[in-house]
């Protein structure tokens, strides 16, 4: 397994180019999950910012609250992704990004914590593809199981 370039600008361009390669497939957090979380967390943040702005009379804190919530939603739900190219599997999580060559992958499992990828005795997880609770209980086909195959 290899770490991606550390400099944010180089990492951004590396990931963008990897996603644009012919035959590359990119998976993000599920759309329904994203809509639900943005609605709930955004609504709660809006109520909190409203109270901070009007009750505590602190517009600066209200802006910081909204911006902080937006950054949290971006980091946890928009940033994670899994990119499959012809020769690499690239995972971007909240705090890390790594890449592995396809022949080095020993095992891939889907689970509630994400897609678990085993390579050379080391197990890493991709947050972008997680097992859904209800279909997993009834042993139904899920997106994470299709990707793990």
């Amino acid at each position: 397994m290899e770490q991606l370039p550390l400099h944010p600008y180089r990492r951004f361009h590396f990931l963008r180019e990897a996603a644009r390669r012919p035959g590359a497939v990119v998976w993000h957090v599920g759309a329904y999950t994203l809509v639900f979380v943005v609605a709930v967390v955004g609504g709660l943040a809006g109520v909190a910012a409203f109270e901070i702005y009007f009750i505590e009379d602190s517009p600066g804190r209200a802006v910081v609250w909204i911006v902080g919530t937006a950054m949290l939603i971006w980091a946890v739900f928009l940033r994670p992704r899994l990119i499959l190219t012809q020769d690499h599997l690239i995972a971007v999580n909240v705090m890390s990004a790594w890449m592995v060559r396809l022949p080095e992958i020993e095992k891939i499992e889907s689970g509630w914590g994400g897609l678990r990828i085993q390579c050379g005795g080391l197990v890493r997880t991709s947050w972008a593809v997680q097992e859904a609770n209800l279909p997993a209980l009834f042993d139904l086909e899920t997106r994470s199981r299709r990707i793990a195959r």
Side-chain angles (χ1 to χ4, degrees), residues 67-124:
V67 170
T69 303
M71 289 174 61
L72 178 70
I73 289 173
W74 172 81
V76 176
F77 294 101
L78 295 176
R79 184 173 188 265
R81 59 192 168 277
L82 185 67
I83 303 170
L84 176 65
T85 64
Q86 292 177 350
D87 52 349
H88 287 89
L89 182 68
I90 303 166
V92 180
N93 291 327
V94 175
M95 300 296 287
S96 66
W98 48 271
M99 149 176 90
V100 62
R101 289 183 183 86
L102 292 180
E104 296 175 3
I105 296 175
E106 298 168 0
K107 186 177 181 182
I108 299 178
E109 299 175 328
S110 66
W112 287 302
L115 204 63
R116 294 170 40 99
I117 297 139
Q118 183 175 349
C119 170
L122 190 65
V123 177
R124 301 292 295 254

Side-chain angles (χ1 to χ4, degrees), residues 2 7 15 20 25 34 47 50 54 66 74 84-85 100 103-104 113 117 121 132 137 140-141 148:
E2 305 171 32
H7 191 276
L15 292 171
R20 290 181 177 174
V25 181
L34 184 61
V47 168
F50 179 82
F54 288 106
I66 292 292
W74 172 81
L84 176 65
T85 64
V100 62
E104 296 175 3
I117 297 139
L137 291 174
L140 300 173
E141 184 69 17

